Amino acid sequence: MWQWFRRRSTRVSQSQQPRMIPPKEPPAHQVLDENEERKITPLLEETISFMNKILGENDDFVMHRFRIFDQYPAVLLYFSDLIEKQYLNEHILKPLMLSSPNKQGKAKVSRPLKDVLFGDTLYACEGRSEKHLEELIQAIVQGETVLVVEGLDEALLFSTRNVDKRSITQPETEQVIRGAREGFIEMLGTNLSLLRYRLPTPDLRVKSIRIGRVTKSKVAVCYLDGIVNPQLVEEVFRRLALIDIDGILDVGYLEQFIEDNHLSPFPQIQNTERPDKAVANLLEGRVILLVDGSPFALILPTVFSQFYQTVEDYSERFLLVSFIRLARLVALVFSLIFPSLYVALISFNPELIPTEFAVAVAGGRAGVPFPSLIEVLIMEISMEVLREATLRLPQQVGGALSIVGVLVVGQAAVAAGFISPITVVIIALTTIGSFATPAYNAALALRMLRFPLVILAGMFGLYGVMIGLILIANHMLSLKSFGVPYLSPIVPGNFQGMKDTIARLPLWSMPKRPALLHTPNDTRLGMKTKEMKHPPSNTLDPLKVGNLRRDIEDGVSSSSDGNSSSDNSN
């Protein structure tokens, strides 16, 4: 009995002892951080062992061993799902394995092996050498192929990346009637080619940096040298260098880090899908940011007037464009203050409404159990929910839902006596006004500000509306985008810049670039363009052409008459 109890206690004491847990291997990025300055060695097996330790657990990672010229052991490292296999076979593997070893051996006597590979053997145009193992790992995970050769202290990198991409199509968020029909896509190289296609000048500068500890996202900073302010470029790079995050998946990540005021509802940086719009802003002296994997570009700095302007404004004649731009401004005002004005007039100042209209409004509101403030808030929240549901549903279902939501639900609410007909009209005009704003983020800010304005109107009437508008204006006056006042060129006033704000004057009347950007070269129109302001010479004027023709005919007839008279005299 005692022996049994002793064995039992021994088992319990052993079970209570802490178990020895084998140490886990550090994650891959931690290994890279520990070997940040480590370089490749001439020993091939040592490099293979290091690469296998980092990437060997991936099923799509390939280490292809072979011999160059049947003499030098080598290995190709790549991810099979990221490369173009046909390009790899025909331009890299085939030349290395089928070349004559005697010929290459003779060349080796006079030149290093790396020069022979790059100069005489390989057909790849985008090849480079690298010594740091960290850079080799980063190149492999981004779709490049690494060639490691026994005896070389450098690895050869080849751009073999092949990722399926969508074709260039018309941007869905910035539709135009007269303008280009192509937009940015997710591939950074394609987006840069669209910019270079429209700006065939050596002054276009493209500087690339990588942001993100894990994603290493490639960010391209584009600007025109000689036009952009150098201090603006330095400030952009300074703000980008301060970003320390795991990954950048879209330009919206950058926008939230580099904007001046993070608490403002108004966007201080504009985004676009259109290459022609990006090029137009580059010509004005702004900076464009592009991120690999995002179809949008950031335009900075940005002022408020840019958010209700479109590319089409500069393709049509200035009189028509000015009228359309004024209509957009009216729609913008409708989307911001129309519901609050309605609540203020109905609740506090009904005497300001004309008598006939007041009788119609009172008849429509008879039997509605809610005050105008609650009524408007219910309709606004319902419209926001309906708008969000329409955006998230498939396109085939979303259109039907919007029609059903507006017609059926609205009519049923009016018939049931929950909502008055005039409230439905006010909310409908407000929603249409928000749709007329070209920039989605600016329209979203105005939609959000409607709610505090409606609450202030329900509490203080027209005084509350004025207080809310003064606070909004004061906030906008305090905003800046990379040092540029948000309401420029109106505040501070600049007459040259005001030619392209509320209305657009003719292009030949705006010879200067925006003064708010302080560009070194502020002239964008030549001297010959100024001559177009004078009345043109009508070369094909019917009166002038007809008189000239009659003069010629009279001269011909008179000469013929003279010849005939001389013949008769003879």
Side-chain angles (χ1 to χ4, degrees), residues 249-408:
L249 305 180
D250 189 78
V251 291
Y253 287 61
L254 295 180
E255 180 181 358
Q256 297 176 59
F257 280 106
I258 65 178
E259 63 183 356
D260 290 65
N261 192 330
H262 304 286
L263 301 178
S264 174
F266 292 99
Q268 296 125 62
I269 298 176
Q270 191 179 17
N271 62 76
T272 182
E273 282 188 279
R274 303 189 60 87
D276 51 352
K277 186 174 183 178
V279 169
N281 284 274
L282 285 173
L283 291 172
E284 287 187 348
R286 292 183 170 87
V287 177
I288 302 298
L289 294 184
L290 294 167
V291 176
D292 193 11
S294 175
F296 287 88
L298 294 183
I299 302 172
L300 46 96
T302 302
V303 295
F304 181 71
S305 60
Q306 291 180 250
F307 290 105
Y308 58 84
Q309 299 174 359
T310 62
V311 180
E312 202 172 8
D313 291 355
Y314 303 92
S315 302
E316 293 287 352
R317 290 173 294 153
F318 72 98
L319 287 177
L320 304 178
V321 168
S322 299
F323 171 75
I324 296 174
R325 190 174 288 183
L326 287 174
R328 288 197 207 111
L329 286 176
V330 172
L332 185 146
V333 173
F334 272 12
S335 65
L336 179 62
I337 67 173
F338 218 44
S340 56
L341 282 178
Y342 168 72
V343 172
L345 293 177
I346 294 297
S347 303
F348 288 88
N349 305 98
E351 67 277 0
L352 298 178
I353 305 175
T355 306
E356 294 80 3
F357 185 65
V359 172
V361 170
R365 289 188 50 81
V368 176
F370 306 112
S372 59
L373 174 62
I374 304 300
E375 191 180 5
V376 169
L377 288 178
I378 291 175
M379 285 297 297
E380 284 285 358
I381 295 174
S382 302
M383 289 301 299
E384 293 298 327
V385 172
L386 180 62
R387 189 198 310 256
E388 188 66 18
T390 305
L391 289 176
R392 304 306 165 196
L393 283 174
Q395 185 175 2
Q396 294 81 0
V397 184
L401 177 64
S402 62
I403 296 175
V404 170
V406 172
L407 296 180
V408 178

Side-chain angles (χ1 to χ4, degrees), residues 531-541 544:
E531 299 178 0
M532 300 183 65
K533 296 186 294 184
H534 302 290
S537 58
N538 296 321
T539 307
L540 300 179
D541 189 352
K544 293 183 179 180

Side-chain angles (χ1 to χ4, degrees), residues 13 75 77 88 98 100 105 109 123 174 177 185 187 243 285 312 337 359 374 414 425 477 501 553:
S13 61
V75 63
L77 308 172
L88 176 64
L98 296 182
S100 173
V109 177
Y123 307 146
E174 297 176 88
I177 297 177
I185 63 173
M187 303 300 292
I243 300 176
E312 202 172 8
I337 67 173
V359 172
I374 304 300
V414 172
V425 174
L477 288 170
T501 51
E553 292 176 354

Side-chain angles (χ1 to χ4, degrees), residues 139-201:
I140 293 174
V141 299
Q142 289 178 351
E144 297 187 40
T145 299
V146 174
L147 173 63
V148 184
V149 185
E150 178 76 26
L152 291 183
D153 59 352
E154 290 181 305
L156 307 183
L157 280 72
F158 303 98
S159 179
T160 55
R161 182 180 180 184
N162 181 30
V163 180
D164 292 336
K165 60 182 180 180
R166 64 183 177 96
S167 60
I168 299 175
T169 56
Q170 183 176 358
E172 296 183 0
T173 58
E174 297 176 88
Q175 298 283 346
V176 296
I177 297 177
R178 183 176 181 179
R181 295 295 191 271
E182 57 186 10
F184 289 128
I185 63 173
E186 285 74 15
M187 303 300 292
L188 179 61
T190 305
N191 296 339
L192 293 177
S193 66
L194 291 175
L195 293 182
R196 291 221 177 256
Y197 163 69
R198 286 175 168 77
L199 283 176
T201 170

